[in-house]
Amino acid sequence: MRVGLYPGTFDPITLGHTDIIRRACALVDRLVIGVAINTGKGPVFSLEERVAMVEAECAKLTAETGTEIIAHPFENLLIDCAHDVGAQIIIRGLRAVTDFEYEYQMVGMNRAMDASVETVFLMAEAKYQAIASKLVKEIAKLGGDVSKFVSPSVKDQLYLKIGRD
Ligand code: ADP
């Protein structure tokens, strides 16, 4: 049984994330979406809201791909979370060279802690590559249309959260 762990903040889950999840489903038998509890990023959505949105998007992807997808909140070390959920593979998305430096360090340090867990990098389809949750939230706050970046239900929840109709 090949188990993958795709960790992140998912504040909120975007079409960039779902594109990576769809690709990861082709590589594993079970995909665990690790939703980070305590992030220094000061999430706009609560953990429960982020997990619920991930679960709703993943239900559609499970139906589409046939791969079991589970949302798993975590606040411990990523490598310990991988052990907890039985993952042999950590999945990360790469957007641009700016992501590379941080990811390079993470792989090095995770490998020093457990060399048996492999990190796999995936790139989203071109039209989704530039999407970042942080920018989606800023666009929504400034009155822009985020339909091209998140699903209709995430868009509704985002507008509700920031007090837009
Ligand atoms: P983090 O807080 O670790 O950056 P995010 O929720 O922002 O977590 O993203 C989780 C993972 O998804 C990271 O590996 C990030 O690089 C990747 N990711 C986010 N958006 C995209 C995108 N548009 N294309 C490819 N990968 C993405």
Side-chain angles (χ1 to χ4, degrees):
M1 175 88 149
R2 209 183 283 258
V3 181
L5 170 64
Y6 177 41
T9 313
F10 304 103
D11 185 44
I13 184 166
T14 70
L15 299 182
H17 293 127
T18 48
D19 187 277
I20 296 294
I21 292 170
R22 192 176 286 110
R23 284 164 204 283
C25 284
L27 306 177
V28 297
D29 303 303
R30 177 191 291 157
L31 185 65
V32 179
I33 315 294
V35 183
I37 296 177
N38 262 332
T39 76
K41 293 182 173 177
V44 163
F45 289 98
S46 69
L47 175 70
E48 291 71 25
E49 290 168 331
R50 286 182 285 132
V51 167
M53 284 187 279
V54 165
E55 280 175 343
E57 298 306 310
C58 288
K60 296 178 226 165
L61 291 170
T62 295
E64 186 188 316
T65 64
T67 303
E68 184 188 0
I69 312 174
I70 299 158
H72 176 84
F74 78 104
E75 65 179 337
N76 52 346
L77 271 178
L78 180 56
I79 203 76
D80 290 335
C81 176
H83 296 154
D84 291 346
V85 301
Q88 309 91 343
I89 305 170
I90 292 171
I91 311 272
R92 294 289 289 173
L94 270 187
R95 279 164 290 202
V97 278
T98 44
D99 280 342
F100 183 79
E101 185 75 33
Y102 174 69
E103 298 293 341
Y104 174 83
Q105 283 191 312
M106 276 239 299
V107 171
M109 300 196 71
N110 283 331
R111 195 171 275 171
M113 291 184 273
D114 184 348
S116 72
V117 176
E118 202 62 71
T119 303
V120 174
F121 292 98
L122 298 173
M123 286 178 74
E125 195 181 313
K127 64 178 175 185
Y128 299 132
Q129 269 175 28
I131 303 174
S133 299
K134 184 169 178 261
L135 296 177
V136 170
K137 286 178 282 188
E138 280 179 27
I139 291 167
K141 274 181 200 154
L142 295 171
D145 181 7
V146 298
S147 309
K148 287 188 176 148
F149 312 130
V150 295
S151 72
S153 64
V154 171
K155 177 177 125 174
D156 289 346
Q157 289 175 73
L158 185 54
Y159 286 1
L160 203 65
K161 181 61 99 178
I162 62 174
R164 261 180 71 169
D165 299 327

